[in-house]
Amino acid sequence: QVQLVESGGGLVQAGGSLRLSCAASGSIFSINIMGWYRQAPGKQRELVAGITSSGSTNYADSVKGRFTLSRDSAKNTVFLQMNSLKPEDTAVYYCNADVFRYYSDTGSFRYWGQGTQVTVSS
């Protein structure tokens, strides 16, 4: 079993900053991809940012230039630095990780955090 522990959500004024953290633990051999999705009420869940095992990053167009995804591979942890926040960034943010597990021959498996609320006031 793999667990994802998220932190850093909260309430912030427009133009402010937050940093989200996600730490993966458990039966992890390696992590293929790790990152963040978000879902606002009445909307589809969308990719915010992801990072591969090689360090390659991918961002949603709506957050490019404002959000930065980084990682601490030794701790299986990713950080999402969110600057210049806008009200439209308000959503529940979900950490995700595509994980290769010890003692498994079934390939990688996608795990999700429980979500952390980010609210940006006008």
Side-chain angles (χ1 to χ4, degrees):
Q1 183 61 42
V2 174
Q3 300 82 38
L4 303 180
V5 179
E6 304 156 325
S7 63
L11 175 65
V12 66
Q13 292 182 326
S17 298
L18 287 172
R19 190 178 78 157
L20 305 183
S21 300
C22 177
S25 62
S27 184
I28 299 171
F29 177 74
S30 64
I31 298 177
N32 183 36
I33 303 172
M34 199 168 181
W36 293 89
Y37 287 72
R38 68 186 181 188
Q39 187 168 22
K43 296 185 177 180
Q44 297 284 345
R45 186 173 297 187
E46 64 175 351
L47 174 69
V48 178
I51 187 167
T52 70
S53 59
S54 66
S56 179
T57 54
N58 185 38
Y59 297 92
D61 289 341
S62 59
V63 307
K64 287 180 179 177
R66 300 188 297 120
F67 292 9
T68 302
L69 184 65
S70 61
R71 67 177 181 175
D72 183 342
S73 296
K75 298 181 179 180
N76 289 324
T77 300
V78 293
F79 307 93
L80 185 66
Q81 180 66 46
M82 304 186 294
N83 298 326
S84 301
L85 283 162
K86 305 174 181 179
E88 52 262 43
D89 295 318
T90 296
V92 178
Y93 284 68
Y94 297 91
C95 183
N96 75 282
D98 191 60
V99 177
F100 291 95
R101 297 164 292 178
Y102 284 113
Y103 316 118
S104 175
D105 61 357
T106 58
S108 63
F109 191 87
R110 176 63 66 88
Y111 292 90
W112 293 89
Q114 292 187 348
T116 184
Q117 178 70 47
V118 171
T119 302
V120 183
S121 62
S122 301

